[in-house]
Amino acid sequence: MRKNMHINENNKYKIIAVDDEIGILDSLNVFLTKSGYSFVGITDPLEAIERVKQEHFDLMLLDFIMTPIHGDKVVEEIRKFNKNLYILLLTGHRNLAPPLETIRKLDIQGYCEKSDKFDQLLLLIESGIKAISQMYLINQINAELERTYGQLEASYMESIETLKNTVEAKDVYTKGHSDRVSAFAVLLGKKLGLSEDDIENLRVGGIFHDVGKIGIPDAILQKNAALTPDEYSEIKNHPSIGAHILSNASIFKDIVPIVKHHHERYDGTRLPWETKRRRNSVFSTIN
């Protein structure tokens, strides 16, 4: 019964896959349709761009090496008119994937190596759907807040607390962490003489900075053993996932940059996780 309910829930979401290998699209069609998703497969990347212009999709699975244009160019064109589509890039080989800087610049939420087995891909899709669901929820909250402007502040703080609690329930390690980050950020902001508006943005940004973990599989967040390279790559996506979740809500527009860039060094030179670390060090950095 619960499995059928899960499949029925998936029916609300439309997935488009773009790959110039028809065999892969056929396999994805069988696999994702069986999981309950509405699926469209397209072999021509240029046709896919036009399809996204005309039709709503929640998530895109995008091959990287294609003709006549590669996946990064497809994303570049789509982002000109659609900032909300959740995109997972598929690569035949890890060393053929675009650099991390390109993935971040184009707002690609993650990537996965192609495989005959779709278990890892399904985990990423399910995580993406969770993030999309949260984004839709925030949009709904935002619409309601606009209709009830007199209760804006109370509803605003309630939504912050709800999302923070959602993340902390998902990853017990983060319990209390966001509140501490927020408190320290406010202290630093006051010491620097920032305006009240900037300090408020720091406070809310600190609370929300790890909201993207809602889109990371539980198996990764709660893993007691060392993370694999693929798992480590996936968890590094949580800042962009968090920014994606919050980006459509106008009340959060000033904190989206805080969430998206909270792992960058203050001088912008590089990311702290470019240095290899053991798992314990990893979590002390990414949290």
Side-chain angles (χ1 to χ4, degrees):
M1 178 66 71
R2 292 188 65 183
K3 182 177 181 181
N4 290 336
M5 291 176 59
H6 182 65
I7 290 176
N8 291 336
E9 183 74 12
N10 290 346
N11 281 331
K12 298 191 305 185
Y13 301 101
K14 294 182 65 174
I15 296 177
I16 181 172
V18 188
D19 197 305
D20 53 10
E21 296 184 41
I22 189 66
I24 291 179
L25 293 180
D26 289 341
S27 298
L28 286 172
N29 185 26
V30 172
F31 184 72
L32 294 177
T33 301
K34 183 178 179 181
S35 297
Y37 296 105
S38 175
F39 178 82
V40 172
I42 297 179
T43 56
D44 184 347
L46 297 178
E47 179 186 345
I49 294 171
E50 294 303 313
R51 186 70 176 267
V52 173
K53 281 183 180 179
Q54 302 299 325
E55 190 174 342
H56 170 77
F57 292 96
D58 299 289
L59 186 146
M60 171 179 277
L61 301 174
L62 179 64
D63 188 23
F64 180 50
I65 305 297
M66 294 185 294
T67 57
I69 60 175
H70 287 179
D72 55 343
K73 295 299 181 182
V74 174
V75 180
E76 188 175 334
E77 289 302 312
I78 288 176
R79 289 307 186 214
K80 291 178 181 178
F81 61 87
N82 187 324
K83 305 293 186 184
N84 303 323
L85 183 62
Y86 196 101
I87 299 177
L88 296 176
L89 198 65
L90 303 180
T91 61
H93 302 281
R94 184 184 303 168
N95 59 359
L96 294 180
L100 180 61
E101 181 61 31
T102 299
I103 291 175
R104 292 172 59 239
K105 180 180 178 181
L106 295 176
D107 196 20
I108 296 172
Q109 278 66 50
Y111 66 90
C112 180
E113 289 186 49
K114 292 182 180 179
S115 170
D116 294 334
K117 298 180 179 179
F118 292 112
D119 293 348
Q120 179 67 21
L121 179 59
L122 183 60
L123 279 176
L124 293 179
I125 290 173
E126 289 177 347
S127 297
I129 293 300
K130 287 180 183 178
I132 291 166
S133 175
Q134 290 293 317
M135 183 180 68
Y136 290 162
L137 175 61
I138 288 177
N139 289 343
Q140 181 182 353
I141 291 172
N142 191 47
E144 292 173 356
L145 289 174
E146 290 178 353
R147 290 193 297 268
T148 58
Y149 187 79
Q151 300 176 350
L152 175 62
E153 185 173 359
S155 298
Y156 173 53
M157 296 309 302
E158 182 179 343
S159 66
I160 291 175
E161 192 67 22
T162 298
L163 281 180
K164 185 194 72 172
N165 291 340
T166 299
V167 175
E168 292 188 347
K170 182 180 176 71
D171 179 12
V172 295
Y173 177 87
T174 64
K175 188 170 182 61
H177 166 74
S178 295
D179 288 333
R180 290 190 295 272
V181 169
S182 175
F184 282 123
V186 168
L187 288 175
L188 288 171
K190 290 180 177 179
K191 188 69 174 179
L192 292 171
L194 299 183
S195 68
E196 290 186 6
D197 287 344
D198 286 339
I199 290 175
E200 176 64 10
N201 289 336
L202 284 176
R203 187 184 68 81
V204 178
I207 291 174
F208 259 177
H209 76 284
D210 270 345
V211 71
K213 286 188 175 181
I214 195 71
I216 304 299
D218 293 352
I220 295 177
L221 283 180
Q222 299 172 6
K223 186 175 181 181
N224 290 323
L227 298 176
T228 68
D230 285 341
E231 290 169 338
Y232 191 22
S233 295
E234 177 63 19
I235 205 167
K236 287 189 290 187
N237 288 325
H238 78 274
S240 61
I241 292 174
H244 190 78
I245 289 173
L246 300 175
S247 60
N248 278 331
S250 60
I251 57 175
F252 298 134
K253 63 182 178 65
D254 292 328
I255 70 166
V256 168
I258 296 175
V259 174
K260 186 172 185 178
H261 303 294
H262 76 268
H263 275 297
E264 295 182 12
R265 293 185 180 274
Y266 72 94
D267 58 2
T269 55
R270 64 188 179 96
L271 302 179
W273 50 53
E274 288 180 354
T275 302
K276 294 183 178 179
R277 306 171 189 271
R278 297 180 64 85
R279 182 176 184 273
N280 289 339
S281 297
V282 167
F283 274 104
S284 67
T285 301
I286 62 177
N287 284 283

